[in-house]
Amino acid sequence: CKINKDPEVHGILLFQPLPEQLDVEKIRQMIDPAKDMDGMSPVNLAKIFEGDRTAYAPCTSEAVMHIMNHYGIERANHITADMIAEGAVVADVGINVLEDGTLCGDVDYENVREKVSHITPVPGGVGNVTTSVLASHVLRAARIGQNEPGQRRG
């Protein structure tokens, strides 16, 4: 890709949607991560997921975080019962450590649980299932490795 190698081009921003004849996935993979201004390349997505601050985060997501910081919105227990519809299903994937060392999620569990039909606790909810999914991935990878060395399937 010419613009990746051009020293006069410092950033690439991929506007979407693209015309039908263009394959967005191929284009995302072509973008040099160092010039990917909106976190669209697979390399930058992986870096963001890992917390690597050398990647550029998606601009909209980062903008929301700036707004939350500006207004002093903290994550721990910040989703309250008045924000949740009666009978809703809530999967809390936030992990926060309070000053006393207690773990909690982003949802005010104690005040929300009576209002919703289902809610995952923190700790003891999504994290436990995540661990099981991780184990199943390892088993799947081991089976693939035994059957087809060097091959990986989805």
Side-chain angles (χ1 to χ4, degrees), residues 14 18-30:
L14 178 62
L18 295 176
E20 283 181 28
Q21 67 271 25
L22 298 177
D23 184 342
V24 70
E25 290 307 312
K26 285 183 181 176
I27 294 172
R28 284 178 56 236
Q29 292 179 19
M30 292 168 53

Side-chain angles (χ1 to χ4, degrees), residues 68-84:
M68 290 177 72
N69 289 337
H70 175 77
Y71 288 105
I73 299 170
E74 295 180 16
R75 292 183 48 195
N77 294 319
H78 80 276
I79 299 174
T80 57
D82 61 318
M83 299 172 167
I84 308 279

Side-chain angles (χ1 to χ4, degrees), residues 10-71:
H10 300 288
I12 299 170
L13 183 59
L14 178 62
F15 285 102
Q16 295 183 62
L18 295 176
E20 283 181 28
Q21 67 271 25
L22 298 177
D23 184 342
V24 70
E25 290 307 312
K26 285 183 181 176
I27 294 172
R28 284 178 56 236
Q29 292 179 19
M30 292 168 53
I31 299 173
D32 178 350
K35 293 185 177 188
D36 177 16
M37 297 295 103
D38 201 23
M40 297 301 292
S41 74
V43 171
N44 273 344
L45 288 173
K47 284 181 170 185
I48 292 162
F49 186 73
E50 290 294 321
D52 182 339
R53 297 201 178 262
T54 64
Y56 295 104
C59 296
T60 302
S61 302
E62 190 169 332
V64 170
M65 295 308 296
H66 283 291
I67 291 167
M68 290 177 72
N69 289 337
H70 175 77
Y71 288 105

